[in-house]
Amino acid sequence: TALDEPITALAGSIGFTEQGVSAETLTARLAGVPVTARIDADEGTRGVIRGEFEYAPQGDGGGLSKHVPEFVRNQLQGNSRWRLELPLLDHGMALQLQSDLVGTAVNFPAPLLKPAEVAASLGLRIGADPLADLRIDLDYDQRLALGVLMVKDGGGLRLTGMRATAGASGRVEVKPGSYLLDGQMPALEISAWTPLMRNSGKSGGVRLEAADLDVDQLHWKGLSVPDT
């Protein structure tokens, strides 16, 4: 997949058994980011790498940030503690990341807006998919469920499909070549989102194919239309 060797430079004492590998204390790097890790024995795997690291999005898309679309990186500011889990499997490995995002400001308009000091759970799954070289799933605090398909393009990755479902959590269906926004929102300020979505297409972002949002309260520069 496009996530070849996601965890590298493992260092420490590793034990080998018929069931797999285990280690109590390891150091490693995740796309260049230092990680403190261990390997736990777990049935059905050759071991599970679990670790913690500090991460701040890089505006230039270097390191781990290359898996985050530019229009998303531009709206993140700060540094947070993350946990990782990577089951060691013969096929279909997927890296799972979790954070409460304390220390990171999310500068998208409401309902995604979050100050740095406020906790909001974020889960990411990065792994293989039959429809693309790489699939990224995001679950943001029951505010947004996002599925992204990416393919190798030269030395990088190119977005080839996306679905964002507001007010949802879990895994969403994504089709190659489709860029869909749907779901439910309690309120939406169109004037705040319009320039952001317009600029996203200019920064390796999204060309929305369709939007099907159920919004309780729609706003446009102070004007409100209920029951949209």
Side-chain angles (χ1 to χ4, degrees):
T1 72
L3 193 66
D4 295 332
E5 298 183 317
I7 297 177
T8 60
L10 277 169
S13 179
I14 300 176
F16 294 86
T17 69
E18 292 181 358
Q19 289 71 40
V21 298
S22 62
E24 292 185 1
T25 305
L26 296 171
T27 58
R29 301 189 77 84
L30 172 64
V33 177
V35 176
T36 301
R38 68 181 191 274
I39 304 178
D40 298 327
D42 200 346
E43 186 175 354
T45 74
R46 290 182 278 115
V48 178
I49 300 176
R50 294 185 170 96
E52 295 187 352
F53 62 97
E54 296 279 343
Y55 172 65
Q58 296 178 233
D60 62 359
L64 189 57
S65 295
K66 73 178 182 180
H67 299 298
V68 182
E70 183 179 353
F71 79 101
V72 176
R73 294 197 307 266
N74 291 342
Q75 303 303 319
L76 304 177
Q77 184 176 13
N79 183 74
S80 295
R81 191 76 175 167
W82 286 77
R83 300 182 306 278
L84 70 84
E85 184 172 298
L86 179 65
L88 301 175
L89 305 171
D90 293 328
H91 304 285
M93 289 202 308
L95 176 66
Q96 299 178 56
L97 305 173
Q98 294 279 340
S99 177
D100 62 9
L101 292 183
V102 172
T104 297
V106 179
N107 296 322
F108 282 104
L112 305 185
L113 182 69
K114 185 196 81 68
E117 66 273 12
V118 174
S121 63
L122 178 64
L124 288 168
R125 182 187 181 278
I126 305 172
D129 189 272
L131 300 177
D133 293 317
L134 188 72
R135 173 168 176 145
I136 301 174
D137 291 289
L138 177 148
D139 192 339
Y140 177 43
D141 203 42
Q142 297 186 328
R143 307 185 202 190
L144 182 72
L146 175 69
V148 172
L149 300 178
M150 306 184 85
V151 296
K152 294 180 179 179
D153 186 8
L157 294 166
R158 176 172 54 85
L159 187 68
T160 189
M162 187 208 78
R163 182 177 180 182
T165 302
S169 62
R171 189 177 171 95
V172 296
E173 181 183 3
V174 189
K175 299 178 180 179
S178 175
Y179 302 85
L180 175 63
L181 172 64
D182 63 359
Q184 296 180 326
M185 287 185 176
L188 178 66
E189 174 53 71
I190 300 176
S191 62
W193 280 98
T194 300
L196 183 65
M197 297 309 297
R198 183 185 300 122
N199 291 334
S200 71
K202 301 176 183 178
S203 56
V206 177
R207 309 178 306 277
L208 277 181
E209 176 186 80
D212 184 13
L213 284 172
D214 184 1
V215 182
D216 293 335
Q217 187 71 56
L218 189 65
H219 301 278
W220 174 259
K221 294 183 178 181
L223 298 177
S224 298
V225 181
D227 301 324
T228 301

